[in-house]
Amino acid sequence: MTTKNWVVLMIMVLIPIAVQSGSILETAHRMYLEENYVDALQSYSTVISESILSDYHPEAIYMSAVCYRKLGNQIMAERAIRQLLNEHPNSDWTDNAYLILAQQRRVQDRDKLGDALMMFETIPARYHSSEKLHRAWLGAASIKQSLGYHKEAVRTFNRAVALEDQTVFSDVDLMTVAAFYSHPRNPERNVSEAIKRLVLILEQYPESDHLGEVYFWLGSLTWEQGDRTKALDYFGEIIQRDLSRVLAREAQEAIAEIHREQGKDDKAIAAYKSLVAKYGLSALTRASLQQDIQALSGEKSSKPTISAWHADVDKEQRRATYN
């Protein structure tokens, strides 16, 4: 067979495969968006098995890794990522692959943080125009902070923040920025900047799955700043919206404590009573809260007490002997 005839044959074979792969890939994407990850994975696997020369091959491998992660199979997800890096090291999906691999390494255990850091920093080193640059810098900064390299972490973090005007930061990205700004060990800690990012989430992502955490975080930070009115509003949103029962319980207790700080004993008592009535607390916690309620309302505690009415005091006024 001549070279010309071979090329013609390859075109005749590969074009139908490419058309079919594109159709299957579209079906897989639709299933993925419908959160039908099992069927989506099967369709992506079909595209992967058809031809390594297909333009859709790297995309299908990457999406199969994403599906495996959604299904909780981290081992198969990493295997797919490794396949993508080996077979298509220069594809448009490789930077995403490094990001997933780095994120997996970061959550595995502390011994893997070095590997994760290397992978995060591979993205800006190799893929200067990647849309994931900000996430790579944020991931690297978080690891450096965890390892105690706080000044270097700040420098890396600032590279990510410098991209805010050029890149769309997701709700999770903004939460990561807020976490870094408000971290107790950040040498340039800035609560106001953290609050600014959290408020952006409320404005730009009103349907975020993380609204409970955002409102609680805002309540805690504004309380720290001394703005108790805003803190009460933010904590109240968690309860009113029923965003999270665990966070609602914490928010209810915070509301009681804030009223107590303000000297509004009646409101503090009402908040404590609501905490006892609505949430499944342990017997020890309920007893402790009842004591707080009694202290605020001036009632006598049920705990045994020692009365000093019948105490004899020594001449130097240093010690009392109780009868």
Side-chain angles (χ1 to χ4, degrees), residues 209-268:
D209 292 335
H210 304 284
L211 287 183
E213 297 98 314
V214 171
Y215 276 116
F216 191 86
W217 210 344
L218 280 167
S220 301
L221 293 177
T222 50
W223 187 8
E224 178 183 333
Q225 285 191 322
D227 193 339
R228 294 182 177 89
T229 301
K230 279 189 178 180
L232 287 170
D233 289 340
Y234 287 132
F235 286 131
E237 287 288 339
I238 299 172
I239 298 168
Q240 292 172 16
R241 292 168 176 253
D242 195 24
L243 295 172
S244 163
R245 187 161 182 82
V246 173
L247 289 176
R249 184 182 64 192
E250 298 294 330
Q252 186 69 55
E253 185 172 3
I255 288 171
E257 292 295 328
I258 292 173
H259 285 315
R260 195 169 186 175
E261 285 181 2
Q262 293 175 320
K264 299 177 180 179
D265 292 352
D266 290 344
K267 289 187 175 181

Side-chain angles (χ1 to χ4, degrees), residues 22 48 75 78 105 120 123 133 150 161 167 229 234 246 252 255 284 287 322:
I48 294 169
I75 294 176
E78 181 165 335
R105 286 286 188 274
F120 277 128
I123 296 171
L133 279 181
H150 302 300
V161 173
T167 309
T229 301
Y234 287 132
V246 173
Q252 186 69 55
I255 288 171
L284 185 61
Y322 299 98

Side-chain angles (χ1 to χ4, degrees), residues 50-294:
E50 284 186 345
S51 173
I52 192 174
L53 299 178
S54 168
D55 290 340
Y56 303 113
H57 198 254
E59 182 178 358
I61 296 175
Y62 174 77
M63 290 305 300
S64 70
V66 175
C67 285
Y68 279 125
R69 290 191 76 193
K70 293 288 187 180
L71 294 170
N73 192 335
Q74 303 302 331
I75 294 176
M76 289 302 297
E78 181 165 335
R79 186 174 297 176
I81 290 299
R82 292 292 183 186
Q83 180 183 357
L84 176 59
L85 295 178
N86 290 333
E87 295 179 1
H88 306 281
N90 299 313
S91 79
D92 293 337
W93 299 93
T94 308
D95 56 339
N96 291 346
Y98 274 113
L99 189 66
I100 285 182
L101 207 54
Q103 290 170 340
Q104 286 191 189
R105 286 286 188 274
R106 182 171 61 179
V107 300
Q108 282 176 343
D109 57 61
R110 193 173 179 83
D111 292 339
K112 302 291 185 181
L113 288 181
D115 290 344
L117 179 59
M118 180 183 68
M119 291 171 190
F120 277 128
E121 293 188 330
T122 295
I123 296 171
R126 294 187 182 180
Y127 310 100
H128 308 292
S129 59
S130 171
E131 295 180 353
K132 302 296 189 295
L133 279 181
H134 64 296
R135 289 183 186 163
W137 288 127
L138 287 174
S142 297
I143 291 176
K144 289 175 181 179
Q145 191 176 62
S146 298
L147 294 174
Y149 303 123
H150 302 300
K151 291 184 179 180
E152 180 60 31
V154 169
R155 285 193 287 269
T156 304
F157 171 75
N158 288 337
R159 290 187 173 188
V161 173
L163 298 172
E164 280 187 293
D165 293 335
Q166 310 165 30
T167 309
V168 176
F169 276 49
S170 69
D171 54 347
V172 175
D173 294 332
L174 290 170
M175 289 178 72
T176 304
V177 173
F180 197 94
Y181 270 128
S182 61
H183 196 285
R185 295 183 180 177
N186 182 353
E188 299 181 11
R189 188 171 187 263
N190 192 326
V191 171
S192 295
E193 288 295 329
I195 291 173
K196 178 181 176 182
R197 294 334 189 272
L198 294 170
V199 170
L200 272 178
I201 296 174
L202 299 182
E203 295 172 352
Q204 297 179 2
Y205 302 97
E207 303 299 323
S208 170
D209 292 335
H210 304 284
L211 287 183
E213 297 98 314
V214 171
Y215 276 116
F216 191 86
W217 210 344
L218 280 167
S220 301
L221 293 177
T222 50
W223 187 8
E224 178 183 333
Q225 285 191 322
D227 193 339
R228 294 182 177 89
T229 301
K230 279 189 178 180
L232 287 170
D233 289 340
Y234 287 132
F235 286 131
E237 287 288 339
I238 299 172
I239 298 168
Q240 292 172 16
R241 292 168 176 253
D242 195 24
L243 295 172
S244 163
R245 187 161 182 82
V246 173
L247 289 176
R249 184 182 64 192
E250 298 294 330
Q252 186 69 55
E253 185 172 3
I255 288 171
E257 292 295 328
I258 292 173
H259 285 315
R260 195 169 186 175
E261 285 181 2
Q262 293 175 320
K264 299 177 180 179
D265 292 352
D266 290 344
K267 289 187 175 181
I269 290 171
Y272 280 131
K273 286 184 176 179
S274 180
L275 182 61
V276 172
K278 292 182 179 179
Y279 303 99
L281 307 174
S282 67
L284 185 61
T285 302
R286 286 199 304 272
S288 177
L289 290 174
Q290 289 293 353
Q291 290 176 21
D292 288 330
I293 293 170
Q294 290 170 355

